[in-house]
Amino acid sequence: MTLRRTRVVAAGLGVSLLAACSAGSSSSGTSGGSTGGGGASGATGATDNKVTIGLVAEPASLDFTTNDGAAIPQAELGNIYETLVKQDQDGTIVPGLATKWTVSPDRKTYTFDLPAAATFSTGAKVTADDVVQSITDVKTKWTIGLKAKMDPVASATAVSPTQVKVTLKQPSNSWLFDMTTRVGAVFPKAGGNLATTPVGSGPYTFTTWKRGDSIVLTRNEKYWGAKPHFKTVTLKYFKDPTALNNALLSGTIDVISTVQAPEALSQFPTSKYQVIEGTTNGEVVLSMNSARAPFNDKRVRQAVRHGIDHQGLLDTCWAGKGKLIGSMVPPTDPWYEDLTKVTPYDQAKAKNLLKESGKVGTTIRLRLPSLPYATACGTVVKSMLEQVGFKVQLDTLEFPAAWLTTVFKNADYDMSMVSHVEPRDLPTVFGDPTYYTRYSNPALKPLLTAADTGTEADQTANMKKAARLLADDAAADFLFLLPNLMVADKDITGLPKNAITEGFDLAALSRS
């Protein structure tokens, strides 16, 4: 897998910034994203066509300012809501809602220009005041942990109706990148009910949500940029991988957004379907609650890591699709290092560590979300850990609601497993002792601070140190990186090869 360095591209910068195959064949997918000005990459002009996307993990709410979970921004970000800047398929930061931006020589002041033609779907103009209010609300009204990504901001002011100035407390290497995620979404200053009637400036508008089944989006005919190809997009949710596959085979859906049964790819003939395989940010993390026994003992955590045959796990539960990484960093980040050798598979060492800790025979509760990769891999993890001396009680919690409440919010678990798909989320997952992992290490915070405030070289060096610290301390076990594995009708174009952003870019889709 090629290591890509994240770059920043903007007009008029003041200084320099930031599965495999079905029957032996796979499509390459989209290699790039839109390049600013609201244009939709891959669109071929407005038509009355419709498309249905099959997904898993339905949102619990439509309001990502007060609700966690990746399913909400997957549906909304870049579709209903826009961000000032966004990432393309190579990880390059490019103009989004902003047409350009500049940064001051001291790296503390960012100035963004907005298009005069931009409007919300209500017809109201997008102004600098809306952007200022959106930034302020993240700091003052958002309730989820990701709001901390706006902490570097000292002030945001409207220079004119189409220009915004943001001043940081100190230079931050991560802030502009974080503005490509949900925290950078621009909302109308007038507000509204985000949970039921989201309103944004994006190429699609929210139409209906049939809970337990589907969300329907409709092309925003008032969109300030290029109009998407599809007039209607239905996001249809499935809990069962077989039902998801059958829906494509029967023509009920046009795209499987994330294959949930990789071993079944052979049922999709290449004469009719395309298979796209790339990479993601989705580290499948086997979390260990560090705030309580037995995982407040480093030796027990290390025993878990040594006791799992990661390649055997990947081959058994996910048909060998994915990549072993050994850390909380995917290969698309510039500070990636292969850390799989830090705690290699070694059953004898795992048994010895467990014996030294006095925890042989300890019962641990592995609480899994009801997601296919978790339920498939959870039974394999259970078997492997029991072979080295653990007793494992397996619980499956409905996802998202039950898992988010029990594990994520209340940390009522010993071990869990979930794919963390948010970009560059190592500081979020392990830098906050109140986060559900409950991990606390005084050596980590200085590394994260130095990475964010130093030079680009400092960022890379210190993030590498942070990733290695987590691996050495067995903060969690990083089982594998999920692949971006999609199957679609052969005439669908614009599908992303790499799923490295939070949103599913529906405006890029078309039909040949």
Side-chain angles (χ1 to χ4, degrees):
M1 189 171 292
T2 302
L3 173 62
R4 297 180 178 84
R5 185 175 185 81
T6 301
R7 305 177 298 279
V8 175
V9 174
L13 279 174
V15 298
S16 182
L17 307 173
L18 156 66
C21 54
S22 172
S25 173
S26 71
S27 164
S28 61
T30 299
S31 59
S34 52
T35 56
S41 171
T44 57
T47 74
D48 290 332
N49 290 341
K50 60 183 179 179
V51 67
T52 302
I53 316 292
L55 304 102
V56 296
E58 180 184 10
S61 166
L62 296 178
D63 181 5
F64 55 65
T65 73
T66 58
N67 293 270
D68 285 293
I72 315 174
Q74 180 187 46
E76 296 182 329
L77 202 62
N79 299 317
I80 297 174
Y81 299 116
E82 293 184 291
T83 51
L84 293 175
V85 290
K86 60 186 179 180
Q87 289 186 79
D88 68 10
Q89 278 282 290
D90 297 318
T92 302
I93 297 182
V94 298
L97 181 56
T99 57
K100 67 177 181 178
W101 73 93
T102 59
V103 61
S104 62
D106 65 1
R107 300 166 51 219
K108 291 172 60 177
T109 302
Y110 291 76
T111 304
F112 299 91
D113 288 354
L114 304 175
T119 65
F120 293 106
S121 58
T122 57
K125 280 191 170 295
V126 177
T127 69
D129 287 336
D130 297 304
V131 176
V132 170
Q133 189 65 54
S134 297
I135 291 173
T136 302
D137 284 350
V138 176
K139 297 171 67 70
T140 61
K141 294 182 179 180
W142 284 39
T143 60
I144 64 171
L146 290 175
K147 66 179 290 184
K149 292 182 180 293
M150 204 64 79
D151 286 351
V153 173
S155 65
T157 57
V159 178
S160 73
T162 58
Q163 192 173 76
V164 180
K165 182 172 72 174
V166 180
T167 303
L168 307 185
K169 300 171 187 175
Q170 58 191 7
S172 171
N173 289 314
S174 62
W175 181 76
L176 188 68
F177 180 89
D178 290 337
M179 289 294 284
T180 70
T181 71
R182 72 190 83 172
V183 298
V186 176
F187 303 89
K189 184 179 179 180
N193 191 333
L194 303 183
T196 58
T197 52
V199 172
S201 61
Y204 282 96
T205 62
F206 170 76
T207 304
T208 58
W209 181 13
K210 183 179 179 182
R211 289 181 182 267
D213 183 74
S214 59
I215 292 173
V216 177
L217 305 180
T218 302
R219 187 172 60 220
N220 179 7
E221 302 298 351
K222 300 175 183 176
Y223 185 51
W224 63 280
K227 300 296 188 295
H229 175 85
F230 291 110
K231 180 177 182 179
T232 304
V233 178
T234 300
L235 307 177
K236 191 167 180 62
Y237 295 93
F238 297 83
K239 293 184 177 181
D240 177 59
T242 302
L244 177 60
N245 289 351
N246 287 341
L248 182 61
L249 291 168
S250 66
T252 303
I253 63 175
D254 304 289
V255 179
I256 295 177
S257 67
T258 306
V259 172
Q260 298 298 306
E263 70 281 359
L265 281 172
S266 60
Q267 68 183 296
F268 299 105
T270 56
S271 59
K272 186 175 180 181
Y273 302 101
Q274 57 179 310
V275 177
I276 292 174
E277 182 176 10
T279 192
T280 72
N281 295 311
E283 307 100 340
V284 179
V285 176
L286 183 66
S287 53
M288 296 174 263
N289 192 335
S290 299
R292 65 191 195 189
F295 294 117
N296 55 357
D297 188 326
K298 177 180 176 179
R299 294 169 297 181
V300 180
R301 301 196 302 269
Q302 288 177 319
V304 168
R305 289 187 55 137
H306 282 298
I308 294 177
D309 175 3
H310 295 83
Q311 187 61 57
L313 172 81
L314 183 61
D315 292 342
T316 302
C317 70
W318 216 240
K321 308 303 182 187
K323 182 176 178 64
L324 304 184
I325 49 177
S327 72
M328 194 67 182
V329 182
T332 46
D333 283 346
W335 41 87
Y336 169 75
E337 287 185 299
D338 181 354
L339 298 180
T340 55
K341 298 294 192 297
V342 173
T343 47
Y345 176 51
D346 188 335
Q347 282 190 324
K349 191 166 187 177
K351 291 176 181 178
N352 287 336
L353 284 165
L354 200 55
K355 184 177 180 180
E356 289 175 14
S357 71
K359 300 297 192 299
V360 175
T362 297
T363 297
I364 54 177
R365 187 171 47 174
L366 174 55
R367 313 198 80 172
L368 302 171
S370 58
L371 295 170
Y373 68 83
T375 55
C377 298
T379 56
V380 181
V381 167
K382 177 180 187 294
S383 174
M384 290 180 175
L385 293 183
E386 288 181 338
Q387 290 176 40
V388 299
F390 289 99
K391 290 183 179 178
V392 181
Q393 176 185 324
L394 206 61
D395 297 336
T396 301
L397 302 174
E398 185 273 331
F399 189 89
W403 187 88
L404 285 174
T405 298
T406 304
V407 175
F408 190 82
K409 292 182 179 180
N410 298 332
D412 182 13
Y413 78 104
D414 298 322
M415 300 180 74
S416 190
M417 183 193 304
V418 77
S419 172
H420 284 270
V421 299
E422 292 81 5
R424 300 189 180 179
D425 51 2
L426 183 157
T428 300
V429 178
F430 295 103
D432 178 2
T434 66
Y435 200 70
Y436 87 99
T437 53
R438 296 297 194 261
Y439 181 74
S440 179
N441 187 327
L444 180 61
K445 193 68 173 178
L447 293 175
L448 298 178
T449 300
D452 192 38
T453 59
T455 64
E456 187 175 315
D458 291 334
Q459 181 185 30
T460 298
N462 283 289
M463 289 305 295
K464 283 183 177 181
K465 291 178 183 177
R468 184 168 288 275
L469 183 151
L470 295 179
D472 288 337
D473 200 33
D477 195 13
F478 309 99
L479 299 177
F480 61 94
L481 188 73
L482 279 174
N484 181 40
L485 197 55
M486 312 175 75
V487 184
D489 290 343
K490 208 158 188 175
D491 60 350
I492 297 294
T493 62
L495 293 167
K497 179 177 176 59
N498 297 323
I500 58 174
T501 62
E502 290 189 295
F504 191 123
D505 187 3
L506 301 175
L509 302 183
S510 186
R511 198 184 295 275
S512 60

